[in-house]
C-alpha cells in the first residue's frame, strides 16, 4: 500500500525541535527524508544523553523515518552536493536564521532556478522579513514574546512557561500543512513556492479564542492556574489520598451531574451559584465547597463515582500512569529497534488514515549513517 507522500523527496536542513518535527510528519506520511547534518551533527544529538549508547532523547524523539547525510556547508564540496540534492528534491525544509541560506548561495531564489517545482519551507523565530528577523529564538523566548507565558501560572506564581514545547510544536504543524498545500498547488501549476512560518505568528495564533476576549474587552485574560477565566467550576481538586482531579462543568448537564456525584445537589439552588456568571463571581466559595467534598474520598472512589455520573473529569496522571495505560500503549506507542540504543519506544503519528496510513519505517539514524548511500544515488541519477 503506497503512502500518501510515497515518491516525494524531502531535503531536511533543520535542527533541534520545530524543523525536525515538520520533516518527521512528512516522513511518517511516506516521504523520503534526507537529513543533512553538519560534521558535528544536529545540535539536539547532544541534549538529553540518557541512553546506554549515549544517544539523545531529543534526537530519538524527532528523527525517525530519515536518512542522515553529513555535508559540510562551509566547504565548496558540501555546497555543491547540497545543490545537487536540492535539484532532485521536491521539498526543502530549513530553520536557519533568516538570510543564512542566501549567504551560502542556497536560498530559495537560487535553488528554484534549477528546480522550478521546488517547495521551500522556512521555519524561523520571527519570519523572513521585519524588524525581528535577525533575533535568535527558542521555545521559551517565543512563549514569553507571544503573550502565552503571561496566561500560564497563577497570581502568586507569576508567569510560567508551559510544560511542553508549545512554541516549537505548533509552527511545524502549520509548516506541514503549508507544504502539503504547496504540493497540491504544484499538481496544477507545475511550480513550487516558498512556505514561510514564524514561531511567533504560530504561537500567537495558537492562543485563539483568547484573542477575542482581548479584542472585546481590552484586557489580558487573568492568570488563573488550572481555573478558567470565564467558566466555573473548572479546576483541579485534591482527594483524601493526595491525588488530584481535573473537573469541568461548563454546561448545565455537567454542573448538575457533578453536584449529584459529590452529594451536593443543594448547591444548584444556592442563589450564589445558579448561573455561570454568579459562579464566576463566587468562584472561590464554590471551589471551596467542591474541594471539601472531594477531599473526603480517595482517587479510586471518585473515578468510579464521577464516571458513573458521566461527569467531565480526569485524574491528573503522571507519565508512568499515562504510558502504562493499555489504550495509550496500543494506539500511540511503537517500539523500534535502533542499532545502538536497543529498542526505542516512540510516539506514533496520531493521524489515522484508513487507506494510506502513516508508518514508522526507519529508526532515528546514526550521524552520517546514509551519506554514502545517498551520494551514490545522486551519482547514479546524474549518470
Amino acid at each position: 500500500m503506497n503512502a500518501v507522500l510515497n515518491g516525494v523527496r524531502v531535503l531536511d536542513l533543520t535542527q533541534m525541535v520545530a524543523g525536525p518535527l515538520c520533516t518527521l510528519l512528512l516522513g511518517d506520511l511516506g516521504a523520503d527524508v534526507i537529513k543533512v547534518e553538519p560534521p558535528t551533527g544536529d545540535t539536539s544529538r547532544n541534549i538529553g544523553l540518557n541512553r546506554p549508547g549515549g544517544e539523545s532523547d531529543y534526537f530519538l524523539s524527532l528523527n525517525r523515518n530519515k536518512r542522515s547525510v553529513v555535508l559540510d556547508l562551509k566547504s565548496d564540496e558540501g555546497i555543491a552536493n547540497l545543490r545537487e540534492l536540492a535539484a532532485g528534491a521536491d521539498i526543502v525544509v530549513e530553520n536557519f536564521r533568516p538570510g543564512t541560506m542566501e549567504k551560502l548561495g542556497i536560498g530559495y531564489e537560487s535553488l528554484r532556478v534549477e528546480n522550478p517545482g521546488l517547495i521551500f519551507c522556512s521555519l524561523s523565530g520571527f519570519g523572513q522579513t521585519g524588524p525581528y528577523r535577525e533575533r535568535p529564538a527558542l521555545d521559551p523566548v517565543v512563549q514569553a514574546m507571544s503573550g502565552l507565558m503571561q496566561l500560564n501560572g497563577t497570581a502568586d506564581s507569576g508567569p510560567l512557561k508551559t510544560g511542553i514545547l508549545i512554541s516549537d510544536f505548533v509552527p511545524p504543524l502549520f509548516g506541514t500543512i503549508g507544504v502539503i498545500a504547496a504540493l497540491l498547488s504544484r499538481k496544477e501549476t507545475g511550480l513550487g513556492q516558498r512556505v514561510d512560518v514564524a514561531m511567533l505568528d504560530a504561537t500567537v495564533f495558537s492562543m485563539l479564542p483568547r484573542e477575542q476576549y482581548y479584542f472585546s474587552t481590552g484586557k489580558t485574560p487573568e492568570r488563573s492556574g488550572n481555573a478558567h477565566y470565564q467558566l466555573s467550576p473548572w479546576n483541579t481538586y485534591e482527594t483524601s489520598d493526595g491525588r488530584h482531579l481535573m473537573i469541568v462543568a461548563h454546561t448545565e448537564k455537567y454542573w448538575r451531574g457533578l453536584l449529584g456525584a459529590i452529594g451536593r445537589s443543594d448547591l444548584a439552588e444556592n442563589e450564589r451559584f445558579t448561573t455561570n456568571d454568579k459562579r464566576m463571581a463566587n468562584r472561590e466559595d464554590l471551589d471551596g465547597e467542591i474541594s471539601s467534598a472531594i477531599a473526603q474520598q480517595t482517587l479510586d472512589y471518585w473515578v468510579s463515582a464521577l464516571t458513573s455520573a458521566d461527569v467531565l473529569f480526569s485524574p491528573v496522571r503522571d507519565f508512568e500512569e499515562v504510558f502504562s495505560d493499555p489504550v495509550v500503549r496500543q494506539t500511540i506507542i511503537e517500539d523500534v529497534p535502533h542499532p545502538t540504543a536497543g529498542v526505542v519506544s516512540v510516539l506514533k503519528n496520531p493521524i489515522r488514515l484508513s487507506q494510506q496510513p502513516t508508518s514508522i519505517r526507519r529508526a532515528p539514524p546514526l550521524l552520517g549513517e546514509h551519506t554514502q548511500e545517498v551520494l551514490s544515488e545522486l551519482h547514479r541519477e546524474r549518470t
Side-chain angles (χ1 to χ4, degrees):
M1 185 180 296
N2 286 335
V4 173
L5 297 183
N6 186 50
V8 172
R9 176 167 288 184
V10 178
L11 204 54
D12 178 2
L13 304 176
T14 70
Q15 297 196 44
M16 289 296 287
V17 178
L21 177 55
C22 178
T23 53
L24 176 147
L25 295 171
L26 297 170
D28 285 356
L29 289 166
D32 175 22
V33 180
I34 299 173
K35 183 176 181 67
V36 176
E37 299 188 67
T40 53
D42 182 333
T43 303
S44 71
R45 285 187 182 271
N46 297 311
I47 301 175
L49 305 178
N50 292 323
R51 294 284 173 165
E55 296 83 0
S56 153
D57 295 345
Y58 267 64
F59 190 85
L60 293 175
S61 178
L62 291 155
N63 288 284
R64 60 161 178 260
N65 285 337
K66 302 178 185 181
R67 297 191 285 170
S68 172
V69 172
V70 169
L71 294 181
D72 183 359
L73 298 184
K74 296 179 181 179
S75 71
D76 292 341
E77 180 183 8
I79 291 295
N81 284 329
L82 189 285
R83 292 189 68 88
E84 289 196 57
L85 286 170
D90 298 284
I91 301 161
V92 168
V93 183
E94 61 92 11
N95 63 347
F96 289 105
R97 200 178 299 194
T100 300
M101 294 282 284
E102 285 74 16
K103 290 176 183 176
L104 293 171
I106 48 175
Y108 172 58
E109 295 299 334
S110 176
L111 295 181
R112 73 172 182 151
V113 172
E114 298 177 22
N115 184 357
L118 183 66
I119 295 161
F120 192 100
C121 179
S122 296
L123 296 165
S124 63
F126 307 107
Q128 302 301 306
T129 60
Y132 299 150
R133 72 187 293 269
E134 299 288 345
R135 294 182 59 163
L138 280 177
D139 174 85
V141 172
V142 178
Q143 286 198 39
M145 196 167 180
S146 66
L148 178 63
M149 194 178 291
Q150 181 64 27
L151 296 177
N152 201 37
T154 66
D156 293 332
S157 72
L160 297 174
K161 69 178 182 61
T162 62
I164 61 171
L165 300 173
I166 190 70
S167 293
D168 271 334
F169 191 84
V170 174
L173 302 183
F174 289 116
T176 305
I177 293 169
V179 164
I180 292 174
L183 280 172
L184 288 173
S185 174
R186 193 178 68 174
K187 286 187 175 181
E188 298 296 326
T189 67
L191 298 175
Q193 58 187 293
R194 185 163 198 165
V195 178
D196 180 18
V197 176
M199 294 169 68
L200 179 61
D201 295 347
T203 305
V204 171
F205 189 85
S206 75
M207 292 191 294
L208 56 81
R210 271 59 177 168
E211 91 292 349
Q212 284 304 320
Y213 176 84
Y214 170 75
F215 293 147
S216 299
T217 68
K219 300 176 182 178
T220 299
E222 64 182 271
R223 192 185 308 122
S224 51
N226 295 325
H228 195 285
Y229 67 103
Q230 290 178 311
L231 296 167
S232 180
W234 181 304
N235 215 331
T236 51
Y237 306 93
E238 187 170 357
T239 64
S240 64
D241 52 348
R243 297 298 302 276
H244 291 86
L245 293 162
M246 183 73 209
I247 299 176
V248 170
H250 66 304
T251 67
E252 191 69 14
K253 168 192 171 182
Y254 288 117
W255 163 238
R256 291 186 176 272
L258 169 63
L259 296 183
I262 66 175
R264 292 302 310 273
S265 293
D266 60 295
L267 294 178
E269 309 309 320
N270 188 308
E271 187 58 30
R272 295 174 299 161
F273 308 134
T274 53
T275 67
N276 181 66
D277 286 345
K278 292 180 179 180
R279 292 194 287 271
M280 284 297 297
N282 298 285
R283 184 169 63 187
E284 288 188 13
D285 291 344
L286 177 57
D287 276 344
E289 298 283 5
I290 297 172
S291 293
S292 294
I294 297 297
Q296 301 304 309
Q297 299 289 348
T298 65
L299 177 69
D300 286 345
Y301 172 88
W302 287 120
V303 167
S304 176
L306 297 175
T307 300
S308 296
D310 195 31
V311 173
L312 190 55
F313 86 101
S314 174
V316 178
R317 305 200 294 185
D318 61 22
F319 273 23
E320 182 178 357
E321 291 171 308
V322 172
F323 292 121
S324 63
D325 183 335
V327 173
V328 173
R329 291 211 62 85
Q330 179 178 355
T331 59
I332 200 70
I333 298 174
E334 183 168 336
D335 292 332
V336 178
H338 186 275
T340 57
V343 176
V344 176
S345 294
V346 298
L347 299 182
K348 293 192 286 189
N349 196 304
I351 300 170
R352 303 284 180 258
L353 297 175
S354 62
Q355 299 301 315
Q356 296 169 294
T358 61
S359 64
I360 300 174
R361 304 173 305 283
R362 294 179 181 270
L366 301 177
L367 178 60
E369 181 179 350
H370 306 97
T371 301
Q372 292 305 314
E373 174 182 297
V374 170
L375 292 182
S376 295
E377 291 173 1
L378 187 62
H379 175 74
R380 289 196 298 272
E381 290 168 3
R382 286 200 304 262
T383 58

